[in-house]
Amino acid sequence: MPELPAVFEVGSLIVIVAILLADLLIVARRPHVPTLRESAIWVGLYVGLALVFAVAMLVFAGGEPAGQFLAGWLTEYSLSIDNLFVFVILMGRFAVPKKIQQEVLMLGIIIALVLRGVFILLGAQLIEDFSWIFYIFGAWLVWTAIQQLRDHDEDDQKDSVIVRLLRRRVRITDTFDDMKLRTTQDGVRHFTPLLIVLIAIGTTDLLFALDSIPAIFGITQSAFIVFTANVFALMGLRQLYFLLGGLLERLVYLKYGIAFILAFIGVKLVFHALHANELPFLNGGEPVAWAPEITTVTSLLVIVAAMGAATAASVIRLRRDAARNDAGARTAD
């Protein structure tokens, strides 16, 4: 893959940081509950920015890096749907006031980006030093795909170890005080639940990154592309939260699409390792002939098809259930 010019990489990171800061400033100056129209406009804006970035990468580095970015971005965007489920659960569990939910999500996403950046650098170094780790990444993704099909409702209701430890060791009020981390109650300084929510969002996202980061490394080994794909996927996640709202829980087949993507990329990683003969003692020191090298275009098509099919099947299910309920109501009348 052609190397991206250093000027392009540095310039891109500066622009991305500027966009994040501008977004944070806008949210902080006008806290409110966004309308569906406003959320749709912002989601469209961030999708447009990602596509513009892909075009810029096409101009500066060629089709292969641009295709890898698009495939990686779509993968991260698809897998980030799980994050939305968690956001819904966290906002309800901690009774976060709707007025400050935008700011809470924005700060949580920034924390998640910082943690993911560290994780991406570690992953890139591991791949460079120990290329056979593709086998581990691949097996992990296939196992995660199987786990994705299981019911996680009980697990979703449990607080993380860090949150439970904070509750035991730190004075925390029962109510929020706008976006303040600390407040005074009966003359004593306490932390507000905002501290727990931010930590819960950041650490939970890092757990999801254990799946999504290896998945995107199955598409590209460029740490820059991996990080920027994560940034553009997470940047529009806040608006997507308000746009989809309760619809997420009714798209019942999305988890199958996500599981299929994870399994596909897991298999792709193993094929890549076999094809490159990452373990020399396999097959007498020769690459495994039957292990195909899955192209970026193929990955892109599979990701789009999987999410499209899962969404379409969920919508058909919703319509059938609605029609059945209407028929039942007419019968009752």
Side-chain angles (χ1 to χ4, degrees):
M1 184 186 78
E3 289 190 6
L4 291 167
V7 174
F8 174 75
E9 293 189 357
V10 174
S12 298
L13 293 177
I14 292 174
V15 171
I16 286 172
V17 170
I19 292 173
L20 287 173
L21 290 176
D23 198 354
L24 182 60
L25 182 62
I26 292 171
V27 171
R29 291 185 63 180
R30 197 170 69 91
H32 66 289
V33 181
T35 63
L36 287 178
R37 181 175 180 274
E38 180 184 350
S39 298
I41 291 173
W42 277 101
V43 169
L45 174 63
Y46 279 122
V47 169
L49 287 174
L51 295 178
V52 168
F53 184 78
V55 172
M57 190 170 287
L58 174 66
V59 173
F60 280 94
E64 182 63 19
Q68 290 178 0
F69 169 78
L70 281 175
W73 170 63
L74 285 173
T75 298
E76 290 298 327
Y77 216 11
S78 302
L79 300 182
S80 292
I81 291 175
D82 270 354
N83 296 48
L84 291 183
F85 282 108
V86 173
F87 291 166
V88 171
I89 292 170
L90 289 176
M91 293 298 175
R93 183 188 305 167
F94 295 111
V96 180
K98 288 186 177 296
K99 183 180 178 181
I100 66 171
Q101 284 186 6
Q102 276 212 89
E103 293 172 275
V104 171
L105 286 174
M106 189 67 192
L107 290 176
I109 287 171
I110 290 175
I111 293 171
L113 283 174
V114 173
L115 295 176
R116 284 191 179 213
V118 175
F119 191 28
I120 288 166
L121 290 176
L122 291 175
Q125 191 61 47
L126 282 174
I127 288 173
E128 183 177 343
D129 296 339
F130 309 102
S131 55
W132 47 263
I133 203 169
F134 279 123
Y135 288 110
I136 298 176
F137 280 178
W140 172 261
L141 291 178
V142 172
W143 182 83
T144 304
I146 296 172
Q147 294 297 109
Q148 178 74 28
L149 300 178
R150 298 174 58 186
D151 189 357
H152 294 288
D153 288 343
E154 293 183 3
D155 293 337
D156 289 339
Q157 298 303 319
K158 297 178 181 177
D159 289 330
S160 68
V161 174
I162 297 176
V163 169
R164 292 199 299 270
L165 182 63
L166 275 175
R167 287 187 181 279
R168 290 197 300 266
R169 301 297 178 90
V170 179
R171 290 194 187 96
I172 299 176
T173 63
D174 294 327
T175 58
F176 288 81
D177 188 2
D178 291 328
M179 285 297 294
K180 295 179 181 178
L181 279 174
R182 302 202 71 184
T183 188
T184 301
Q185 193 173 79
D186 298 328
V188 180
R189 296 290 286 172
H190 291 70
F191 284 98
T192 68
L194 178 62
L195 175 66
I196 291 181
V197 175
L198 292 177
I199 291 175
I201 290 176
T203 54
T204 303
D205 178 83
L206 189 60
L207 292 177
F208 281 110
L210 292 175
D211 303 333
S212 63
I213 301 301
I216 193 172
F217 270 121
I219 295 171
T220 178
Q221 282 78 65
S222 168
F224 175 76
I225 294 178
V226 172
F227 180 70
T228 51
N230 272 268
V231 170
F232 281 105
L234 289 179
M235 275 166 58
L237 204 57
R238 171 172 54 86
Q239 290 80 11
L240 197 61
Y241 168 86
F242 291 101
L243 180 63
L244 296 182
L247 180 63
L248 282 172
E249 296 180 358
R250 291 182 285 169
L251 297 179
V252 293
Y253 296 121
L254 277 182
K255 67 177 183 179
Y256 296 103
I258 293 171
F260 183 83
I261 291 172
L262 287 171
F264 167 76
I265 298 178
V267 171
K268 177 184 176 179
L269 281 173
V270 174
F271 280 173
H272 173 79
L274 289 171
H275 187 269
N277 190 28
E278 301 295 355
L279 291 180
F281 58 80
L282 288 176
N283 198 39
E286 296 295 329
V288 178
W290 54 263
E293 189 72 25
I294 300 175
T295 66
T296 301
V297 174
T298 302
S299 299
L300 188 58
L301 291 175
V302 169
I303 293 164
V304 171
M307 290 309 297
T311 302
S314 298
V315 171
I316 292 173
R317 168 74 177 271
L318 280 174
R319 290 177 177 175
R320 286 181 177 175
D321 289 346
R324 190 179 298 113
N325 291 336
D326 289 344
R330 287 195 296 270
T331 302
D333 292 339

